[in-house]
C-alpha cells in the first residue's frame, strides 16, 4: 500500500471538501504535490482562495486523524485512493467521490455493479423476491451493492452470496462500528466474498445524516439502482434520485397495489423507472454497457496498451471520462482545465480513437474494436 498518510492530512484541511479534493488531485496527481505546489499554481485551481493556500501550507496532522490512521495500520484495513487502480471506476465519474475509501475485504475496481436497496421493514414477499433476484444477478456475474441494513439490503447481500457471487456493502458508519450489530456475521461473510467499505473514519458512529451521504456511493459505483418495497418517504428513494442525477439507470420491483410499503416503488415506475420482474429485465437494459466475459480480458489488455501511449494530460482527461457521455463544460469544471486547452486534448484523443463525440459536445470512451 502506498504512503497514504498525506491523503488523510489533505482531507483534514479545513475548507477542502470532496469536490475540491478531486480538482486538486486532477491538477497535481497526489497530495504530496499539492503540499509542495506554489501559491501561484494553487490559485489556478477553481475554488482555491488565498486563505485556503495558507491553510494548506501550515496545516499539521491532528490527533484524531493520526489516531484513525494508526488504527487503520493496526487493524490491517485497506485504503483505496482516487489514484488507485482498484478505486470503483464509476464512482470516479460523480462530482464528489470520496478521496479514499476504507476497505475490509477485496475491492477489485468492478464495473459490473448493480445497487439493490429498499425497506428496512420489509415483507416476506420483498425479502424472498430480493434474494432470488440478487442470486440470479450474481450467477450472471453482477456484483450486488447495498447498505447492509436490516430488510431488503441484507436480503440483497444474502442473495448474492447464495449465487456465489461478489457483493459490496457501503456503511453509514466506520468499519469498526458494525451497524446494525445483528449483521456482524453478514459483515464478515461479505468481506470474504467482496468488500465492506466506508468513507467515514473507523470509529464513526451511524449518525442519521451519514446515510444520505453514503447513498451517493451506493448509486455512484453502480450501473443502476433497483428499489424494492419503498414507501413515499423511504430513504431508498434518495438513492434512486441520486442514481438518476448521476445518469445511471433506475429500476423498481412492483408490489401489491394494496401495500403502502410499495407506494414509493410504484411512483418510481410512473416516473419512468424500468419495471423489474426478473434479472433478465436488468441485464437487457444494461446490455449495451456490459461485455461478454470472454471479451472483457481482451478489451482490458487493449485498453492498457493504448493508454500507455497517452501523454500525462491525455491520460488525466481520458480517466475522467467513462462510458456514459459527459459534456465538455462538466469536464472543464471537474478537471479545472481551460476550455481551449481541453478541446485540444479531446481532439487528440478522438484522433487516437480513444473517445467518441456525440452531438452537443458530449464525450464518451470509444468502443475497443
Amino acid at each position: 500500500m502506498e504512503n497514504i498518510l498525506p491523503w488523510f492530512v489533505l482531507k483534514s484541511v479545513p475548507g477542502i471538501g470532496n469536490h475540491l479534493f478531486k480538482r486538486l488531485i486532477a491538477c497535481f496527481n497526489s497530495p504530496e504535490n499539492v503540499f509542495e505546489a506554489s501559491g501561484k499554481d494553487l490559485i489556478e485551481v477553481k475554488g482555491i482562495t488565498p486563505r485556503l493556500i495558507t491553510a494548506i501550507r501550515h496545516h499539521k496532522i491532528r490527533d484524531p486523524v493520526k489516531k484513525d490512521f494508526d488504527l487503520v495500520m493496526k487493524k490491517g484495513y485497506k485504503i483505496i485512493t482516487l489514484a488507485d487502480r482498484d478505486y470503483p471506476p464509476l464512482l470516479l465519474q460523480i462530482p464528489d467521490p470520496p478521496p479514499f475509501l476504507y476497505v475490509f475485504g477485496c475491492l477489485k475496481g468492478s464495473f459490473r455493479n448493480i445497487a439493490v436497496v429498499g425497506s428496512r421493514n420489509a415483507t416476506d414477499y420483498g425479502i424472498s423476491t430480493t434474494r432470488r433476484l440478487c442470486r440470479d444477478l450474481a450467477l450472471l456475474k453482477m456484483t450486488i451493492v447495498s447498505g447492509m441494513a436490516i430488510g431488503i439490503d441484507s436480503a440483497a447481500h444474502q442473495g448474492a452470496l447464495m449465487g456465489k457471487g461478489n457483493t459490496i456493502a457501503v456503511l453509514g458508519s466506520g468499519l469498526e462500528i458494525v451497524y446494525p450489530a445483528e449483521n456482524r456475521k453478514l459483515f464478515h461473510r461479505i468481506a470474504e466474498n467482496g468488500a465492506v467499505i466506508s468513507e467515514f473514519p473507523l470509529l464513526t458512529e451511524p449518525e442519521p445524516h451519514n446515510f444520505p451521504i453514503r447513498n451517493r456511493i451506493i448509486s455512484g459505483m453502480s450501473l443502476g439502482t433497483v428499489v424494492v418495497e419503498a414507501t413515499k418517504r423511504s430513504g431508498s428513494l434518495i438513492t434512486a434520485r441520486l442514481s438518476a442525477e448521476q445518469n445511471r439507470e433506475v429500476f423498481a420491483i412492483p408490489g401489491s397495489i394494496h401495500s403502502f410499503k410499495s407506494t414509493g416503488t410504484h411512483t418510481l415506475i410512473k416516473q419512468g423507472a424500468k419495471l423489474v420482474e426478473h434479472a433478465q429485465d436488468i441485464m437487457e437494459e444494461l446490455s449495451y454497457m456490459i461485455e461478454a466475459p470472454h471479451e472483457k480480458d481482451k478489451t482490458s489488455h487493449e485498453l492498457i496498451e493504448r493508454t500507455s501511449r497517452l501523454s500525462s494530460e491525455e491520460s488525466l482527461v481520458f480517466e475522467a471520462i467513462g462510458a456514459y457521455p459527459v459534456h465538455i463544460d462538466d469536464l472543464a469544471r471537474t478537471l479545472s482545465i481551460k476550455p481551449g486547452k481541453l478541446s485540444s486534448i479531446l481532439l487528440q484523443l478522438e484522433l487516437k480513437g480513444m473517445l467518441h463525440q456525440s452531438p452537443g459536445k458530449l464525450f464518451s470512451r470509444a468502443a475497443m474494436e
Side-chain angles (χ1 to χ4, degrees):
M1 185 162 53
E2 62 172 307
N3 180 16
I4 58 167
L5 183 57
W7 291 81
F8 279 65
V9 177
L10 184 58
K11 186 181 178 183
S12 69
V13 175
I16 296 184
N18 291 347
H19 290 84
L20 189 50
F21 199 115
K22 182 180 179 180
R23 291 192 205 115
L24 287 168
I25 296 302
C27 288
F28 299 103
N29 298 317
S30 72
E32 292 95 329
N33 290 342
V34 173
F35 286 117
E36 294 172 4
S38 67
K40 181 180 178 182
D41 289 336
L42 285 170
I43 203 68
E44 291 293 319
V45 179
K46 181 181 177 182
I48 290 290
T49 64
R51 180 176 294 181
L52 270 177
I53 292 175
T54 301
I56 291 171
R57 289 280 180 78
H58 299 287
H59 188 66
K60 303 295 182 184
I61 186 168
R62 299 175 178 177
D63 285 343
V65 176
K66 185 63 165 61
K67 288 178 181 178
D68 185 45
F69 175 79
D70 290 342
L71 188 57
V72 168
M73 297 296 102
K74 178 181 177 181
K75 294 286 186 175
Y77 292 119
K78 299 174 185 175
I79 298 295
I80 305 296
T81 74
L82 287 169
D84 289 329
R85 185 181 296 273
D86 288 337
Y87 194 93
L90 290 171
L91 192 58
L92 283 171
Q93 297 177 21
I94 73 171
D96 57 342
F100 54 86
L101 295 165
Y102 300 78
V103 179
F104 179 44
C106 183
L107 194 62
K108 300 177 181 178
S110 173
F111 182 78
R112 294 170 62 97
N113 299 338
I114 185 76
V116 181
V117 297
S119 173
R120 285 176 168 81
N121 299 309
T123 64
D124 290 342
Y125 160 80
I127 294 293
S128 61
T129 300
T130 301
R131 284 177 180 160
R132 184 177 66 252
L133 175 71
C134 293
R135 178 202 64 196
D136 294 346
L137 287 168
L139 289 170
L140 292 168
K141 308 303 180 186
M142 296 296 290
T143 296
I144 305 301
V145 182
S146 196
M148 212 183 77
I150 293 297
I152 297 301
D153 287 19
S154 292
H157 296 302
Q158 291 162 355
L161 295 170
M162 289 165 57
K164 301 188 184 304
N166 291 330
T167 185
I168 298 170
V170 186
L171 302 189
S173 61
L175 294 183
E176 283 290 290
I177 310 294
V178 178
Y179 178 82
E182 52 264 48
N183 269 353
R184 182 170 294 278
K185 184 176 180 180
L186 180 61
F187 173 88
H188 288 282
R189 288 187 66 203
I190 292 170
E192 292 169 0
N193 297 273
V196 182
I197 68 175
S198 176
E199 70 174 306
F200 300 109
L202 294 181
L203 297 176
T204 302
E205 296 287 343
E207 301 292 342
H209 64 268
N210 291 348
F211 293 93
I213 295 172
R214 73 89 190 261
N215 288 348
R216 85 187 194 290
I217 299 179
I218 293 176
S219 60
M221 67 187 298
S222 305
L223 292 166
T225 295
V226 184
V227 180
V228 188
E229 286 196 331
T231 66
K232 286 187 176 180
R233 298 177 63 85
S234 170
S236 300
L237 299 186
I238 296 176
T239 311
R241 174 178 57 78
L242 289 167
S243 188
E245 290 175 354
Q246 292 161 348
N247 200 26
R248 311 294 164 80
E249 303 295 339
V250 178
F251 304 90
I253 294 181
S256 169
I257 61 172
H258 304 294
S259 174
F260 77 94
K261 291 187 177 181
S262 290
T263 52
T265 49
H266 293 165
T267 298
L268 288 175
I269 293 169
K270 291 175 183 177
Q271 294 173 343
K274 183 174 177 66
L275 186 151
V276 172
E277 295 176 303
H278 310 286
Q280 200 57 40
D281 295 327
I282 295 171
M283 301 304 289
E284 288 174 359
E285 195 74 13
L286 299 178
S287 61
Y288 71 103
M289 292 291 297
I290 300 173
E291 301 161 1
H294 67 279
E295 290 292 329
K296 185 174 182 181
D297 291 340
K298 175 183 174 183
T299 301
S300 298
H301 178 76
E302 183 179 352
L303 183 61
I304 292 170
E305 183 178 345
R306 293 174 68 176
T307 53
S308 68
R309 298 195 292 266
L310 300 179
S311 69
S312 58
E313 288 182 337
E314 289 169 345
S315 294
L316 180 66
V317 173
F318 183 75
E319 289 299 324
I321 298 175
Y324 289 104
V326 59
H327 195 273
I328 187 172
D329 291 343
D330 293 330
L331 275 175
R333 282 192 293 269
T334 299
L335 299 174
S336 295
I337 297 177
K338 293 180 180 179
K341 183 177 182 181
L342 179 59
S343 294
S344 176
I345 297 171
L346 290 168
L347 176 60
Q348 291 301 314
L349 288 169
E350 275 193 90
L351 293 174
K352 293 179 179 181
M354 302 297 291
L355 296 184
H356 170 72
Q357 182 178 175
S358 303
K361 291 288 185 180
L362 293 169
F363 293 85
S364 57
R365 292 190 181 186
M368 299 290 108
E369 298 179 353

